[in-house]
Amino acid sequence: MKIQLETITPASDSTFRLLHDPKLNHLFYWHFHPEYELVYIEGASATRHVGDHISTFEGSDLVLIGSNIPHLNFDYGVTSTYRKEVLHIKPSFKEDFISPLPELKNISRLMDLARYGIAFSGETKRQIGALMKELHQLAPFEFFMRVMQILKLLSNSKEFELLHKRPFEHSYSSKEQSRIREIYALIDERYQGKIPVEEVASMCNLSKPAFCRYFKKATNTTFIGFLNQYRISQAKRLLLMEKNVSETCFECGFESLSYFNRTFKKITGENPSDFKKRMKTKTAPYSFEQGRSLTK
């Protein structure tokens, strides 16, 4: 299992990349990329983990994820027969094509809200799922028009929920991506033990103060804050796998159960045992302003 910055380099200059029925259910693929991602999965019940949001879905899911929001592959751990369609959209599509045209303001609004992560439900999910399953059969022009149709339908839908209460911030310049990749790989490999800030700073050829300033500017959080957030994301995964709170605490690199409980509550708003109980009984994810029109 590796945390990854996914670099998408399609063979052409196309604005879109379609992944038709990719199978990654054996892999815990926690990753991010600059492209917007629209993912549809059916025939599966699994975990939806987007940014700081974690919940479950039953039967199928349709989610629009904004640029550089870390997310888990939606088929992780799925053992049933399922189908998945993933559409990547370059950020330049919104900047250069959608935003300048007033006729497309609803789609522009949709893509702005993707910064929160958007999960769609009901008839919207059924209809968009059916359209996405045909994308791989279409010629380039028809493919483009179908994507525009999909975005229009999504922008007019009221069957949705925002997965975060505020836009998820996680942006990197191209110059920073290589260094960030190395830092994340180190965190992923060693989060279960001590990771001295001095060691990470040395790896980046920076002094400790310079590294702390760099990391705060690049990620909008401190290194220790980010490390704790990553450890808590792993803790959620272990709790969902029926690990007890004490086991989870030490497997995720925390040396004190009381500090683990305080950190978990600070990041998630609830303590680990309450999270575990809630997720056991939860049949539908928390809805933030559910039903609000995307166009307003």
Side-chain angles (χ1 to χ4, degrees):
M1 184 269 289
K2 292 292 181 185
I3 184 168
Q4 297 190 31
L5 168 63
E6 184 177 4
T7 304
I8 296 175
T9 53
S12 71
D13 294 328
S14 174
T15 297
F16 310 111
R17 183 178 80 155
L18 178 69
L19 302 178
H20 170 54
D21 206 19
K23 301 296 187 184
L24 295 173
N25 54 313
H26 63 289
L27 181 66
F28 187 88
Y29 187 41
W30 178 245
H31 64 290
F32 66 97
H33 43 74
E35 291 74 14
Y36 294 82
E37 178 171 308
L38 180 64
V39 56
Y40 174 74
I41 183 170
E42 68 178 19
S45 297
T47 299
R48 177 198 294 144
H49 192 169
V50 178
D52 293 332
H53 175 95
I54 185 168
S55 58
T56 56
F57 64 89
E58 299 290 331
S60 63
D61 206 18
L62 176 67
V63 178
L64 178 62
I65 303 168
S67 179
N68 286 319
I69 299 180
H71 52 283
L72 179 65
N73 49 306
F74 284 64
D75 56 351
Y76 173 64
V78 172
T79 56
S80 59
T81 300
Y82 67 96
R83 179 168 179 171
K84 186 171 66 168
E85 305 290 337
V86 180
L87 176 68
H88 288 142
I89 304 173
K90 288 183 179 179
S92 58
F93 178 67
K94 178 182 186 301
E95 298 160 5
D96 301 337
F97 181 69
I98 298 295
S99 294
L101 298 176
E103 296 85 354
L104 302 179
K105 65 179 181 180
N106 287 354
I107 294 178
S108 181
R109 170 64 172 162
L110 168 73
M111 299 184 79
D112 284 339
L113 287 178
R115 295 178 299 158
Y116 296 81
I118 312 172
F120 295 88
S121 59
E123 178 61 18
T124 300
K125 180 170 64 173
R126 187 204 65 76
Q127 185 178 15
I128 299 302
L131 294 174
M132 288 188 68
K133 286 190 293 184
E134 296 175 350
L135 281 172
H136 72 283
Q137 302 172 334
L138 302 179
F141 181 78
E142 286 71 24
F143 183 99
F144 177 85
M145 296 305 295
R146 174 64 59 85
V147 171
M148 293 303 297
Q149 179 189 8
I150 287 170
L151 293 175
K152 177 184 176 183
L153 291 170
L154 291 176
S155 71
N156 291 327
S157 174
K158 294 183 180 180
E159 298 175 302
F160 74 95
E161 59 171 316
L162 301 183
L163 302 182
H164 295 88
K165 294 184 179 180
R166 57 186 62 86
F168 191 94
E169 298 293 339
H170 195 198
S171 59
Y172 305 95
S173 70
S174 57
K175 185 177 179 180
E176 293 169 333
Q177 288 179 2
S178 178
R179 180 180 280 174
I180 289 292
R181 188 198 306 271
E182 292 180 7
I183 295 170
Y184 278 23
L186 177 67
I187 290 172
D188 180 68
E189 183 180 352
R190 305 221 345 240
Y191 72 91
Q192 294 173 306
K194 290 184 178 180
I195 307 179
V197 176
E198 293 85 355
E199 179 183 345
V200 187
S202 177
M203 182 184 79
C204 296
N205 297 315
L206 295 171
S207 67
K208 181 179 176 181
F211 170 76
C212 290
R213 289 193 299 271
Y214 158 76
F215 195 85
K216 181 67 181 288
K217 182 179 179 181
T219 66
N220 203 33
T221 189
T222 65
F223 176 77
I224 297 302
F226 182 86
L227 177 59
N228 281 339
Q229 285 192 10
Y230 183 68
R231 284 172 167 161
I232 293 304
S233 74
Q234 295 299 319
K236 289 177 177 179
R237 178 174 64 89
L238 293 177
L239 290 169
L240 288 173
M241 294 168 62
E242 298 301 316
K243 293 278 188 178
N244 66 44
V245 173
S246 181
E247 286 177 311
T248 299
C249 165
F250 297 111
E251 285 191 34
C252 291
F254 292 95
E255 298 181 342
S256 160
L257 188 58
S258 60
Y259 181 63
F260 170 65
N261 285 328
R262 288 198 306 272
T263 304
F264 195 101
K265 187 166 186 178
K266 180 180 179 181
I267 291 173
T268 69
E270 59 187 338
N271 62 47
S273 56
D274 287 343
F275 168 82
K276 188 173 182 179
K277 289 176 186 175
R278 179 173 63 83
M279 295 306 294
K280 260 189 173 182
T281 59
K282 195 170 186 181
T283 56
Y286 171 76
S287 174
F288 175 66
E289 297 187 0
Q290 186 162 0
R292 185 183 64 179
S293 173
L294 287 164
T295 61
K296 296 179 180 178

